[in-house]
Amino acid sequence: QSVLTQPPSVSGAPGQRVTISCTGSSSNIGAGYDVHWYQHLPGTAPKLLIFGNSNRPSGVPDRFSGSKSGTSASLAITGLQAEDEADYYCQSYDRSLSDWVFGGGTKLTVL
Amino acid sequence: QVQLQESGPGLVKPSETLSLTCTVSGGSISGYYWSWIRQPPGKGLEWIGYIYYSGNTNYNPSLKSRVTISADTSKNQFSLKLSSVTAADTAVYYCARLLMTTVTPYFDYWGQGTLVTVSS
Protein backbone atom coordinates (compact mmCIF):
# COMPACT_ATOMS: atom_id res chain seq x y z
CA GLN A 1 0.00 0.00 0.00
CA SER A 2 1.62 3.23 -1.17
CA VAL A 3 1.68 6.27 1.10
CA LEU A 4 0.50 8.51 -1.74
CA THR A 5 -2.69 7.42 -3.50
CA GLN A 6 -3.07 7.56 -7.27
CA PRO A 7 -5.78 6.12 -9.52
CA PRO A 8 -4.55 2.86 -11.06
CA SER A 9 -5.45 3.97 -14.56
CA VAL A 10 -6.73 6.86 -16.66
CA SER A 11 -7.40 7.08 -20.36
CA GLY A 12 -8.14 9.63 -23.03
CA ALA A 13 -8.33 10.07 -26.75
CA PRO A 14 -5.61 11.84 -28.72
CA GLY A 15 -5.90 15.59 -28.28
CA GLN A 16 -7.87 15.35 -25.05
CA ARG A 17 -6.92 16.47 -21.56
CA VAL A 18 -6.45 14.09 -18.66
CA THR A 19 -5.57 14.63 -15.04
CA ILE A 20 -3.91 12.29 -12.55
CA SER A 21 -4.44 12.88 -8.85
CA CYS A 22 -2.04 12.19 -6.00
CA THR A 23 -3.53 12.21 -2.52
CA GLY A 24 -1.42 12.31 0.61
CA SER A 25 -1.83 13.36 4.22
CA SER A 26 -0.82 15.91 6.82
CA SER A 27 2.56 14.22 7.25
CA ASN A 28 3.61 14.58 3.64
CA ILE A 29 1.92 16.78 1.04
CA GLY A 30 -0.20 18.52 3.66
CA ALA A 31 2.90 19.27 5.72
CA GLY A 32 4.16 21.54 2.99
CA TYR A 33 6.43 19.14 1.14
CA ASP A 34 6.58 19.51 -2.60
CA VAL A 35 5.28 16.95 -5.07
CA HIS A 36 7.26 15.72 -8.04
CA TRP A 37 6.09 13.63 -11.00
CA TYR A 38 7.83 10.99 -13.10
CA GLN A 39 6.96 9.37 -16.42
CA HIS A 40 7.97 5.75 -16.87
CA LEU A 41 7.85 3.60 -19.94
CA PRO A 42 8.52 -0.01 -18.84
CA GLY A 43 12.05 -1.12 -19.56
CA THR A 44 13.36 2.42 -19.68
CA ALA A 45 14.67 4.85 -17.10
CA PRO A 46 11.96 6.84 -15.31
CA LYS A 47 12.00 10.47 -16.40
CA LEU A 48 11.48 13.53 -14.21
CA LEU A 49 8.40 15.30 -15.56
CA ILE A 50 7.50 17.91 -12.94
CA PHE A 51 9.48 19.08 -9.91
CA GLY A 52 8.48 21.40 -7.09
CA ASN A 53 4.75 20.91 -7.73
CA SER A 54 4.59 22.77 -11.03
CA ASN A 55 8.02 23.21 -12.61
CA ARG A 56 9.04 21.49 -15.83
CA PRO A 57 12.63 20.43 -16.46
CA SER A 58 14.15 21.60 -19.70
CA GLY A 59 12.82 19.58 -22.60
CA VAL A 60 9.47 18.63 -21.07
CA PRO A 61 6.63 19.95 -23.25
CA ASP A 62 4.30 22.54 -21.74
CA ARG A 63 1.45 20.08 -22.36
CA PHE A 64 2.44 18.72 -18.95
CA SER A 65 1.56 20.78 -15.87
CA GLY A 66 1.35 20.19 -12.16
CA SER A 67 -0.47 21.72 -9.23
CA LYS A 68 -0.81 21.19 -5.51
CA SER A 69 -3.51 22.07 -3.00
CA GLY A 70 -3.84 20.97 0.59
CA THR A 71 -3.02 17.29 0.89
CA SER A 72 -3.28 16.57 -2.84
CA ALA A 73 -1.56 17.27 -6.11
CA SER A 74 -2.47 16.80 -9.75
CA LEU A 75 -0.72 16.23 -13.04
CA ALA A 76 -2.51 17.48 -16.13
CA ILE A 77 -1.68 16.46 -19.66
CA THR A 78 -3.28 18.37 -22.52
CA GLY A 79 -3.25 17.56 -26.22
CA LEU A 80 -2.77 13.85 -25.51
CA GLN A 81 -0.40 12.06 -27.85
CA ALA A 82 0.22 8.36 -28.36
CA GLU A 83 3.75 8.78 -26.99
CA ASP A 84 2.29 9.90 -23.64
CA GLU A 85 1.13 6.34 -22.95
CA ALA A 86 3.16 5.40 -19.88
CA ASP A 87 3.07 4.98 -16.13
CA TYR A 88 3.10 8.16 -14.03
CA TYR A 89 4.26 8.39 -10.42
CA CYS A 90 4.06 11.17 -7.86
CA GLN A 91 6.67 11.56 -5.11
CA SER A 92 7.03 13.59 -1.95
CA TYR A 93 8.55 13.29 1.52
CA ASP A 94 6.90 12.00 4.67
CA ARG A 95 8.09 13.45 7.97
CA SER A 96 6.51 10.74 10.09
CA LEU A 97 8.23 7.98 8.13
CA SER A 98 11.43 10.00 7.52
CA ASP A 99 11.17 8.57 4.04
CA TRP A 100 10.83 9.62 0.45
CA VAL A 101 7.41 8.32 -0.60
CA PHE A 102 5.82 7.53 -3.93
CA GLY A 103 2.37 7.01 -5.31
CA GLY A 104 1.40 3.59 -6.57
CA GLY A 105 1.52 4.77 -10.15
CA THR A 106 -1.12 5.51 -12.77
CA LYS A 107 -1.18 3.85 -16.16
CA LEU A 108 -2.20 6.27 -18.88
CA THR A 109 -3.78 4.73 -21.95
CA VAL A 110 -4.20 6.80 -25.09
CA LEU A 111 -7.25 5.40 -26.83
CA GLN B 1 23.53 14.26 -20.17
CA VAL B 2 24.02 12.20 -17.03
CA GLN B 3 23.37 8.50 -17.52
CA LEU B 4 23.17 5.76 -14.91
CA GLN B 5 23.48 2.01 -15.45
CA GLU B 6 22.80 -0.68 -12.88
CA SER B 7 24.74 -3.94 -12.94
CA GLY B 8 24.88 -7.09 -10.85
CA PRO B 9 23.50 -10.61 -10.50
CA GLY B 10 19.90 -11.11 -11.55
CA LEU B 11 19.43 -14.05 -9.21
CA VAL B 12 20.27 -14.21 -5.52
CA LYS B 13 19.63 -17.07 -3.11
CA PRO B 14 17.56 -16.53 0.04
CA SER B 15 19.60 -15.44 3.09
CA GLU B 16 22.46 -14.24 0.86
CA THR B 17 23.52 -10.68 0.09
CA LEU B 18 22.26 -8.77 -2.94
CA SER B 19 24.98 -6.61 -4.50
CA LEU B 20 24.44 -4.04 -7.22
CA THR B 21 26.59 -1.32 -8.73
CA CYS B 22 25.52 1.86 -10.48
CA THR B 23 27.93 3.36 -12.99
CA VAL B 24 27.49 7.05 -13.71
CA SER B 25 28.54 8.54 -17.05
CA GLY B 26 28.25 12.03 -18.49
CA GLY B 27 29.00 13.61 -15.14
CA SER B 28 30.84 13.12 -11.86
CA ILE B 29 29.36 11.62 -8.75
CA SER B 30 31.27 14.21 -6.76
CA GLY B 31 29.13 16.93 -5.28
CA TYR B 32 25.89 15.00 -5.48
CA TYR B 33 23.67 12.58 -3.60
CA TRP B 34 22.95 9.17 -5.11
CA SER B 35 20.13 6.84 -4.29
CA TRP B 36 18.70 3.37 -4.71
CA ILE B 37 14.99 2.75 -5.25
CA ARG B 38 13.18 -0.51 -5.89
CA GLN B 39 9.86 -1.72 -7.26
CA PRO B 40 8.59 -5.21 -6.40
CA PRO B 41 6.47 -6.85 -9.11
CA GLY B 42 3.02 -5.32 -9.18
CA LYS B 43 3.83 -2.88 -6.39
CA GLY B 44 4.88 0.72 -6.00
CA LEU B 45 8.28 2.37 -5.75
CA GLU B 46 10.21 2.15 -2.47
CA TRP B 47 13.15 4.37 -1.56
CA ILE B 48 16.03 2.29 -0.16
CA GLY B 49 18.62 4.88 0.76
CA TYR B 50 21.10 7.47 -0.41
CA ILE B 51 24.77 8.33 -0.19
CA TYR B 52 26.57 11.63 -0.56
CA TYR B 53 29.66 11.25 -2.72
CA SER B 54 31.87 11.80 0.33
CA GLY B 55 30.29 8.86 2.15
CA ASN B 56 27.44 10.17 4.30
CA THR B 57 24.46 7.85 4.09
CA ASN B 58 20.79 7.71 5.02
CA TYR B 59 18.62 4.61 4.78
CA ASN B 60 14.94 3.76 4.76
CA PRO B 61 14.16 2.91 8.40
CA SER B 62 12.41 -0.29 7.34
CA LEU B 63 15.55 -1.58 5.59
CA LYS B 64 18.25 0.12 7.62
CA SER B 65 19.49 -3.00 9.42
CA ARG B 66 20.21 -4.78 6.12
CA VAL B 67 21.37 -2.01 3.78
CA THR B 68 24.80 -0.64 3.00
CA ILE B 69 25.40 1.93 0.26
CA SER B 70 28.94 2.93 -0.67
CA ALA B 71 30.58 5.14 -3.29
CA ASP B 72 33.81 4.96 -5.28
CA THR B 73 34.66 8.34 -6.77
CA SER B 74 37.66 6.92 -8.66
CA LYS B 75 35.33 4.65 -10.63
CA ASN B 76 32.39 7.09 -10.65
CA GLN B 77 30.23 4.37 -9.16
CA PHE B 78 28.11 3.72 -6.13
CA SER B 79 26.89 0.39 -4.82
CA LEU B 80 24.13 -1.30 -2.88
CA LYS B 81 24.38 -4.27 -0.57
CA LEU B 82 21.24 -5.79 0.93
CA SER B 83 21.83 -8.66 3.30
CA SER B 84 19.70 -11.62 4.39
CA VAL B 85 17.42 -11.35 1.38
CA THR B 86 14.08 -13.10 1.08
CA ALA B 87 11.57 -13.45 -1.72
CA ALA B 88 10.10 -10.13 -0.61
CA ASP B 89 13.26 -8.44 -1.86
CA THR B 90 12.56 -9.53 -5.43
CA ALA B 91 12.20 -6.29 -7.36
CA VAL B 92 13.46 -4.05 -10.11
CA TYR B 93 16.23 -2.01 -8.54
CA TYR B 94 16.89 1.51 -9.81
CA CYS B 95 19.74 3.86 -9.11
CA ALA B 96 19.09 7.58 -9.31
CA ARG B 97 20.62 10.99 -8.60
CA LEU B 98 18.96 12.78 -5.72
CA LEU B 99 18.83 16.57 -5.87
CA MET B 100 18.92 17.84 -2.30
CA THR B 101 18.87 21.53 -3.13
CA THR B 102 15.14 22.02 -2.59
CA VAL B 103 12.64 21.79 0.26
CA THR B 104 11.65 18.35 -0.98
CA PRO B 105 14.48 16.57 -2.76
CA TYR B 106 13.74 14.69 -5.94
CA PHE B 107 15.38 12.26 -8.35
CA ASP B 108 16.42 13.96 -11.56
CA TYR B 109 18.24 11.13 -13.35
CA TRP B 110 17.49 7.42 -13.17
CA GLY B 111 18.94 4.19 -14.49
CA GLN B 112 16.69 1.87 -16.46
CA GLY B 113 16.58 -0.62 -13.62
CA THR B 114 17.66 -4.20 -13.14
CA LEU B 115 15.48 -7.10 -12.03
CA VAL B 116 16.79 -9.05 -9.08
CA THR B 117 15.02 -12.28 -8.23
CA VAL B 118 15.51 -13.96 -4.87
CA SER B 119 15.09 -17.69 -5.30
CA SER B 120 16.89 -20.91 -4.50
Side-chain angles (χ1 to χ4, degrees), chain B residues 18-40:
Chain B
L18 177 159
S19 296
L20 295 174
T21 295
C22 182
T23 300
V24 179
S25 58
S28 174
I29 69 167
S30 296
Y32 290 96
Y33 290 80
W34 304 91
S35 196
W36 288 96
I37 297 154
R38 70 180 183 179
Q39 184 172 31

PDB file of all heavy atoms in Angstrom, chain B residues 18-40:
ATOM      1  N   LEU B  18      22.471  -9.354  -1.617  1.00  0.00           N
ATOM      2  CA  LEU B  18      22.263  -8.773  -2.941  1.00  0.00           C
ATOM      3  C   LEU B  18      23.281  -7.648  -3.118  1.00  0.00           C
ATOM      4  O   LEU B  18      23.427  -6.785  -2.231  1.00  0.00           O
ATOM      5  CB  LEU B  18      20.843  -8.230  -3.010  1.00  0.00           C
ATOM      6  CG  LEU B  18      20.296  -7.500  -4.231  1.00  0.00           C
ATOM      7  CD1 LEU B  18      18.763  -7.554  -4.206  1.00  0.00           C
ATOM      8  CD2 LEU B  18      20.772  -6.066  -4.319  1.00  0.00           C
ATOM      9  N   SER B  19      23.981  -7.654  -4.240  1.00  0.00           N
ATOM     10  CA  SER B  19      24.980  -6.613  -4.504  1.00  0.00           C
ATOM     11  C   SER B  19      24.770  -6.028  -5.896  1.00  0.00           C
ATOM     12  O   SER B  19      24.769  -6.770  -6.884  1.00  0.00           O
ATOM     13  CB  SER B  19      26.394  -7.190  -4.401  1.00  0.00           C
ATOM     14  OG  SER B  19      26.679  -7.632  -3.091  1.00  0.00           O
ATOM     15  N   LEU B  20      24.616  -4.737  -5.958  1.00  0.00           N
ATOM     16  CA  LEU B  20      24.440  -4.040  -7.221  1.00  0.00           C
ATOM     17  C   LEU B  20      25.361  -2.826  -7.283  1.00  0.00           C
ATOM     18  O   LEU B  20      25.682  -2.233  -6.257  1.00  0.00           O
ATOM     19  CB  LEU B  20      22.993  -3.564  -7.392  1.00  0.00           C
ATOM     20  CG  LEU B  20      21.912  -4.627  -7.518  1.00  0.00           C
ATOM     21  CD1 LEU B  20      20.541  -3.977  -7.525  1.00  0.00           C
ATOM     22  CD2 LEU B  20      22.111  -5.472  -8.758  1.00  0.00           C
ATOM     23  N   THR B  21      25.757  -2.489  -8.498  1.00  0.00           N
ATOM     24  CA  THR B  21      26.591  -1.321  -8.729  1.00  0.00           C
ATOM     25  C   THR B  21      25.913  -0.417  -9.751  1.00  0.00           C
ATOM     26  O   THR B  21      25.295  -0.902 -10.701  1.00  0.00           O
ATOM     27  CB  THR B  21      27.981  -1.729  -9.235  1.00  0.00           C
ATOM     28  OG1 THR B  21      28.648  -2.469  -8.213  1.00  0.00           O
ATOM     29  CG2 THR B  21      28.825  -0.511  -9.590  1.00  0.00           C
ATOM     30  N   CYS B  22      26.041   0.868  -9.546  1.00  0.00           N
ATOM     31  CA  CYS B  22      25.519   1.857 -10.481  1.00  0.00           C
ATOM     32  C   CYS B  22      26.689   2.661 -11.036  1.00  0.00           C
ATOM     33  O   CYS B  22      27.432   3.292 -10.274  1.00  0.00           O
ATOM     34  CB  CYS B  22      24.534   2.784  -9.786  1.00  0.00           C
ATOM     35  SG  CYS B  22      23.776   4.011 -10.864  1.00  0.00           S
ATOM     36  N   THR B  23      26.866   2.613 -12.332  1.00  0.00           N
ATOM     37  CA  THR B  23      27.934   3.356 -12.987  1.00  0.00           C
ATOM     38  C   THR B  23      27.354   4.628 -13.601  1.00  0.00           C
ATOM     39  O   THR B  23      26.382   4.566 -14.361  1.00  0.00           O
ATOM     40  CB  THR B  23      28.602   2.509 -14.076  1.00  0.00           C
ATOM     41  OG1 THR B  23      29.143   1.325 -13.472  1.00  0.00           O
ATOM     42  CG2 THR B  23      29.731   3.277 -14.751  1.00  0.00           C
ATOM     43  N   VAL B  24      27.965   5.749 -13.249  1.00  0.00           N
ATOM     44  CA  VAL B  24      27.488   7.050 -13.712  1.00  0.00           C
ATOM     45  C   VAL B  24      28.383   7.548 -14.843  1.00  0.00           C
ATOM     46  O   VAL B  24      29.612   7.546 -14.714  1.00  0.00           O
ATOM     47  CB  VAL B  24      27.472   8.065 -12.560  1.00  0.00           C
ATOM     48  CG1 VAL B  24      26.999   9.427 -13.049  1.00  0.00           C
ATOM     49  CG2 VAL B  24      26.576   7.559 -11.430  1.00  0.00           C
ATOM     50  N   SER B  25      27.786   7.973 -15.931  1.00  0.00           N
ATOM     51  CA  SER B  25      28.542   8.541 -17.046  1.00  0.00           C
ATOM     52  C   SER B  25      27.939   9.895 -17.427  1.00  0.00           C
ATOM     53  O   SER B  25      26.787  10.183 -17.091  1.00  0.00           O
ATOM     54  CB  SER B  25      28.523   7.603 -18.250  1.00  0.00           C
ATOM     55  OG  SER B  25      27.191   7.342 -18.660  1.00  0.00           O
ATOM     56  N   GLY B  26      28.740  10.719 -18.083  1.00  0.00           N
ATOM     57  CA  GLY B  26      28.253  12.031 -18.485  1.00  0.00           C
ATOM     58  C   GLY B  26      28.313  13.063 -17.375  1.00  0.00           C
ATOM     59  O   GLY B  26      27.805  14.176 -17.553  1.00  0.00           O
ATOM     60  N   GLY B  27      28.887  12.699 -16.270  1.00  0.00           N
ATOM     61  CA  GLY B  27      29.000  13.614 -15.137  1.00  0.00           C
ATOM     62  C   GLY B  27      29.688  12.919 -13.982  1.00  0.00           C
ATOM     63  O   GLY B  27      29.786  11.682 -13.969  1.00  0.00           O
ATOM     64  N   SER B  28      30.136  13.687 -13.012  1.00  0.00           N
ATOM     65  CA  SER B  28      30.840  13.121 -11.863  1.00  0.00           C
ATOM     66  C   SER B  28      29.882  12.869 -10.714  1.00  0.00           C
ATOM     67  O   SER B  28      28.903  13.587 -10.527  1.00  0.00           O
ATOM     68  CB  SER B  28      31.926  14.105 -11.412  1.00  0.00           C
ATOM     69  OG  SER B  28      32.527  13.655 -10.215  1.00  0.00           O
ATOM     70  N   ILE B  29      30.193  11.845  -9.925  1.00  0.00           N
ATOM     71  CA  ILE B  29      29.356  11.616  -8.746  1.00  0.00           C
ATOM     72  C   ILE B  29      29.705  12.616  -7.649  1.00  0.00           C
ATOM     73  O   ILE B  29      28.909  12.812  -6.716  1.00  0.00           O
ATOM     74  CB  ILE B  29      29.465  10.173  -8.215  1.00  0.00           C
ATOM     75  CG1 ILE B  29      30.834   9.897  -7.603  1.00  0.00           C
ATOM     76  CG2 ILE B  29      29.115   9.161  -9.287  1.00  0.00           C
ATOM     77  CD1 ILE B  29      30.864   8.594  -6.797  1.00  0.00           C
ATOM     78  N   SER B  30      30.855  13.246  -7.773  1.00  0.00           N
ATOM     79  CA  SER B  30      31.273  14.210  -6.759  1.00  0.00           C
ATOM     80  C   SER B  30      30.316  15.388  -6.697  1.00  0.00           C
ATOM     81  O   SER B  30      29.882  15.914  -7.730  1.00  0.00           O
ATOM     82  CB  SER B  30      32.693  14.705  -7.054  1.00  0.00           C
ATOM     83  OG  SER B  30      33.607  13.644  -6.970  1.00  0.00           O
ATOM     84  N   GLY B  31      29.989  15.772  -5.473  1.00  0.00           N
ATOM     85  CA  GLY B  31      29.130  16.932  -5.283  1.00  0.00           C
ATOM     86  C   GLY B  31      27.649  16.618  -5.249  1.00  0.00           C
ATOM     87  O   GLY B  31      26.835  17.523  -5.063  1.00  0.00           O
ATOM     88  N   TYR B  32      27.305  15.359  -5.426  1.00  0.00           N
ATOM     89  CA  TYR B  32      25.887  14.996  -5.484  1.00  0.00           C
ATOM     90  C   TYR B  32      25.545  13.857  -4.531  1.00  0.00           C
ATOM     91  O   TYR B  32      26.404  13.152  -4.028  1.00  0.00           O
ATOM     92  CB  TYR B  32      25.506  14.572  -6.904  1.00  0.00           C
ATOM     93  CG  TYR B  32      25.508  15.707  -7.888  1.00  0.00           C
ATOM     94  CD1 TYR B  32      26.623  15.952  -8.689  1.00  0.00           C
ATOM     95  CD2 TYR B  32      24.396  16.532  -8.027  1.00  0.00           C
ATOM     96  CE1 TYR B  32      26.631  16.996  -9.592  1.00  0.00           C
ATOM     97  CE2 TYR B  32      24.398  17.576  -8.948  1.00  0.00           C
ATOM     98  CZ  TYR B  32      25.518  17.803  -9.724  1.00  0.00           C
ATOM     99  OH  TYR B  32      25.523  18.829 -10.617  1.00  0.00           O
ATOM    100  N   TYR B  33      24.218  13.699  -4.343  1.00  0.00           N
ATOM    101  CA  TYR B  33      23.667  12.578  -3.599  1.00  0.00           C
ATOM    102  C   TYR B  33      23.166  11.541  -4.595  1.00  0.00           C
ATOM    103  O   TYR B  33      22.609  11.890  -5.644  1.00  0.00           O
ATOM    104  CB  TYR B  33      22.496  13.035  -2.718  1.00  0.00           C
ATOM    105  CG  TYR B  33      22.884  13.905  -1.550  1.00  0.00           C
ATOM    106  CD1 TYR B  33      23.139  15.262  -1.718  1.00  0.00           C
ATOM    107  CD2 TYR B  33      22.990  13.368  -0.270  1.00  0.00           C
ATOM    108  CE1 TYR B  33      23.497  16.060  -0.651  1.00  0.00           C
ATOM    109  CE2 TYR B  33      23.341  14.158   0.812  1.00  0.00           C
ATOM    110  CZ  TYR B  33      23.587  15.502   0.614  1.00  0.00           C
ATOM    111  OH  TYR B  33      23.941  16.291   1.679  1.00  0.00           O
ATOM    112  N   TRP B  34      23.318  10.280  -4.225  1.00  0.00           N
ATOM    113  CA  TRP B  34      22.952   9.168  -5.109  1.00  0.00           C
ATOM    114  C   TRP B  34      22.120   8.162  -4.328  1.00  0.00           C
ATOM    115  O   TRP B  34      22.396   7.879  -3.173  1.00  0.00           O
ATOM    116  CB  TRP B  34      24.214   8.540  -5.689  1.00  0.00           C
ATOM    117  CG  TRP B  34      25.043   9.565  -6.402  1.00  0.00           C
ATOM    118  CD1 TRP B  34      26.036  10.334  -5.872  1.00  0.00           C
ATOM    119  CD2 TRP B  34      24.888   9.978  -7.769  1.00  0.00           C
ATOM    120  NE1 TRP B  34      26.515  11.200  -6.824  1.00  0.00           N
ATOM    121  CE2 TRP B  34      25.843  11.000  -7.993  1.00  0.00           C
ATOM    122  CE3 TRP B  34      24.049   9.583  -8.819  1.00  0.00           C
ATOM    123  CZ2 TRP B  34      25.980  11.626  -9.228  1.00  0.00           C
ATOM    124  CZ3 TRP B  34      24.200  10.206 -10.049  1.00  0.00           C
ATOM    125  CH2 TRP B  34      25.143  11.215 -10.253  1.00  0.00           C
ATOM    126  N   SER B  35      21.132   7.607  -5.013  1.00  0.00           N
ATOM    127  CA  SER B  35      20.128   6.836  -4.286  1.00  0.00           C
ATOM    128  C   SER B  35      19.802   5.518  -4.971  1.00  0.00           C
ATOM    129  O   SER B  35      20.066   5.335  -6.167  1.00  0.00           O
ATOM    130  CB  SER B  35      18.844   7.680  -4.170  1.00  0.00           C
ATOM    131  OG  SER B  35      17.971   7.169  -3.201  1.00  0.00           O
ATOM    132  N   TRP B  36      19.249   4.619  -4.195  1.00  0.00           N
ATOM    133  CA  TRP B  36      18.699   3.370  -4.710  1.00  0.00           C
ATOM    134  C   TRP B  36      17.209   3.334  -4.396  1.00  0.00           C
ATOM    135  O   TRP B  36      16.778   3.716  -3.298  1.00  0.00           O
ATOM    136  CB  TRP B  36      19.392   2.160  -4.087  1.00  0.00           C
ATOM    137  CG  TRP B  36      20.786   1.953  -4.584  1.00  0.00           C
ATOM    138  CD1 TRP B  36      21.943   2.368  -4.000  1.00  0.00           C
ATOM    139  CD2 TRP B  36      21.181   1.275  -5.784  1.00  0.00           C
ATOM    140  NE1 TRP B  36      23.030   2.009  -4.761  1.00  0.00           N
ATOM    141  CE2 TRP B  36      22.582   1.322  -5.867  1.00  0.00           C
ATOM    142  CE3 TRP B  36      20.481   0.616  -6.808  1.00  0.00           C
ATOM    143  CZ2 TRP B  36      23.311   0.757  -6.911  1.00  0.00           C
ATOM    144  CZ3 TRP B  36      21.188   0.045  -7.857  1.00  0.00           C
ATOM    145  CH2 TRP B  36      22.586   0.127  -7.903  1.00  0.00           C
ATOM    146  N   ILE B  37      16.438   2.868  -5.351  1.00  0.00           N
ATOM    147  CA  ILE B  37      14.988   2.751  -5.252  1.00  0.00           C
ATOM    148  C   ILE B  37      14.616   1.394  -5.847  1.00  0.00           C
ATOM    149  O   ILE B  37      15.282   0.935  -6.782  1.00  0.00           O
ATOM    150  CB  ILE B  37      14.316   3.886  -6.058  1.00  0.00           C
ATOM    151  CG1 ILE B  37      14.683   5.254  -5.476  1.00  0.00           C
ATOM    152  CG2 ILE B  37      12.790   3.721  -6.106  1.00  0.00           C
ATOM    153  CD1 ILE B  37      14.628   6.375  -6.480  1.00  0.00           C
ATOM    154  N   ARG B  38      13.578   0.765  -5.324  1.00  0.00           N
ATOM    155  CA  ARG B  38      13.176  -0.512  -5.893  1.00  0.00           C
ATOM    156  C   ARG B  38      11.674  -0.578  -6.102  1.00  0.00           C
ATOM    157  O   ARG B  38      10.924   0.187  -5.514  1.00  0.00           O
ATOM    158  CB  ARG B  38      13.636  -1.673  -5.010  1.00  0.00           C
ATOM    159  CG  ARG B  38      12.904  -1.775  -3.680  1.00  0.00           C
ATOM    160  CD  ARG B  38      13.442  -2.962  -2.885  1.00  0.00           C
ATOM    161  NE  ARG B  38      12.725  -3.138  -1.622  1.00  0.00           N
ATOM    162  CZ  ARG B  38      12.982  -4.115  -0.762  1.00  0.00           C
ATOM    163  NH1 ARG B  38      13.934  -5.002  -1.009  1.00  0.00           N
ATOM    164  NH2 ARG B  38      12.275  -4.213   0.361  1.00  0.00           N
ATOM    165  N   GLN B  39      11.267  -1.525  -6.967  1.00  0.00           N
ATOM    166  CA  GLN B  39       9.857  -1.721  -7.263  1.00  0.00           C
ATOM    167  C   GLN B  39       9.573  -3.212  -7.362  1.00  0.00           C
ATOM    168  O   GLN B  39       9.894  -3.845  -8.381  1.00  0.00           O
ATOM    169  CB  GLN B  39       9.454  -1.025  -8.551  1.00  0.00           C
ATOM    170  CG  GLN B  39       7.966  -1.124  -8.852  1.00  0.00           C
ATOM    171  CD  GLN B  39       7.544  -0.261 -10.022  1.00  0.00           C
ATOM    172  OE1 GLN B  39       8.318  -0.028 -10.940  1.00  0.00           O
ATOM    173  NE2 GLN B  39       6.305   0.214  -9.985  1.00  0.00           N
ATOM    174  N   PRO B  40       8.974  -3.795  -6.320  1.00  0.00           N
ATOM    175  CA  PRO B  40       8.587  -5.211  -6.401  1.00  0.00           C
ATOM    176  C   PRO B  40       7.535  -5.405  -7.484  1.00  0.00           C
ATOM    177  O   PRO B  40       6.793  -4.465  -7.804  1.00  0.00           O
ATOM    178  CB  PRO B  40       8.011  -5.493  -5.008  1.00  0.00           C
ATOM    179  CG  PRO B  40       8.581  -4.429  -4.134  1.00  0.00           C
ATOM    180  CD  PRO B  40       8.699  -3.212  -5.012  1.00  0.00           C
TER     181      PRO B  40
END
